[in-house]
Amino acid sequence: MFNKFVKHFMATRDTGTEQLIKDTAKRVFFAEGRLHATTQDIADAAGVNRTLVNYYFRSKDSLIKQVYEEGMNDLSTRLVQVMEAEKPFRKKVEEFIDVFMADSMEYPYQETFLITEMNTHGNLYHKENMSEKVENFSRQIQAEMDAGRLEQMDPIHFSMNMFSMMIYPLIMKPMYKQFYNLDEEQFNKLMLERKEITCNMLFKK
């Protein structure tokens, strides 16, 4: 009986159920913002038995961490590819904003989760060699400042300004929608306009 039970679950693994659960969890946690959703909520949303969720991931914490880290690995890889490309710096920043904004608009609660978990547990996510890549980006920023294409400042301020202009409106989305009586389509239109606004604020005229 036990062997039949194991074979049943292993067969289920081959059908893509594990990926379905992860995709559903990512949507529930990071697109819908239901960070307190239970494994039963995930199972119901995926249309599977909760036993399968527990079999693959053991706990909600294990599931959410795996989904988050896989998502961040994918995003980080795409962002690094943009910043290491042989292109003019402004073009790279524009493409960086495109990639980051598309991901953040689809999963606006990733940053909220990141900050909450780091405040609770310390460094949640760290990609290998990321410090080296951040330092390389800072050197590119400094080179643009030395060439007179950016205002002189600590390169960290440039990065802070860029991310603040992208992330803060998404974190405050519910408030902005309420204050300005915006529907989802109107808010998304504003966010799509932010690339040009952000670049105009970051770069000299």
Side-chain angles (χ1 to χ4, degrees):
M1 178 65 74
F2 178 76
N3 288 336
K4 289 183 179 180
F5 181 77
V6 171
K7 287 180 180 179
H8 165 73
F9 277 118
M10 292 307 294
T12 305
R13 180 182 293 273
D14 294 335
T15 67
T17 301
E18 182 178 8
Q19 189 60 49
L20 170 64
I21 293 170
K22 288 194 291 186
D23 291 342
T24 302
K26 187 173 185 179
R27 185 187 77 245
V28 169
F29 291 139
F30 304 133
E32 300 174 6
R34 296 163 55 195
L35 299 180
H36 297 293
T38 64
T39 53
Q40 184 64 62
D41 294 328
I42 301 301
D44 291 344
V48 301
N49 191 292
R50 188 180 69 179
T51 305
L52 285 173
V53 179
N54 294 332
Y55 170 74
Y56 288 127
F57 302 100
R58 299 188 308 281
S59 69
K60 172 189 167 181
D61 288 343
S62 175
L63 171 58
I64 195 171
K65 183 175 181 181
Q66 182 173 340
V67 168
Y68 176 79
E69 290 189 349
E70 287 183 6
M72 290 301 292
N73 271 321
D74 177 63
L75 176 60
S76 296
T77 297
R78 287 182 285 137
L79 293 176
V80 167
Q81 287 174 345
V82 170
M83 295 317 300
E84 293 185 343
E86 293 294 329
K87 296 179 181 179
F89 184 74
R90 176 160 182 156
K91 180 65 175 177
K92 288 196 286 189
V93 169
E94 289 175 352
E95 292 185 10
F96 186 99
I97 292 173
D98 282 338
V99 172
F100 187 88
M101 288 293 292
D103 188 83
S104 295
M105 287 177 68
E106 186 172 5
Y107 302 108
Y109 296 95
Q110 286 184 136
E111 283 74 24
T112 302
F113 173 75
L114 171 64
I115 299 305
T116 300
E117 289 298 303
M118 289 188 73
N119 283 337
T120 304
H121 303 297
N123 188 13
L124 175 72
Y125 173 79
H126 181 72
K127 187 175 176 63
E128 186 178 358
N129 297 326
M130 185 55 68
S131 296
E132 179 183 335
K133 297 181 187 304
V134 170
E135 290 175 5
N136 181 53
F137 183 43
S138 292
R139 286 193 292 270
Q140 293 181 53
I141 296 170
Q142 187 61 60
E144 292 295 305
M145 292 177 183
D146 294 342
R149 289 185 287 269
L150 295 175
E151 296 289 346
Q152 285 290 340
M153 65 183 78
D154 188 317
I156 296 174
H157 283 305
F158 180 91
S159 296
M160 285 182 173
N161 289 341
M162 181 175 68
F163 282 104
S164 296
M165 285 186 279
M166 293 188 292
I167 295 174
Y168 186 78
L170 289 167
I171 293 175
M172 301 301 290
K173 174 181 174 180
M175 186 185 76
Y176 286 137
K177 288 179 67 176
Q178 181 177 332
F179 281 2
Y180 296 104
N181 194 29
L182 301 170
D183 60 26
E184 191 73 12
E185 182 177 351
Q186 291 171 320
F187 181 84
N188 287 340
K189 181 176 181 295
L190 288 172
M191 293 307 301
L192 292 173
E193 295 169 354
R194 290 197 64 77
K195 180 177 79 170
E196 183 176 356
I197 293 170
T198 299
C199 287
N200 287 341
M201 295 182 71
L202 291 172
F203 291 87
K204 287 184 175 181
K205 299 293 185 182

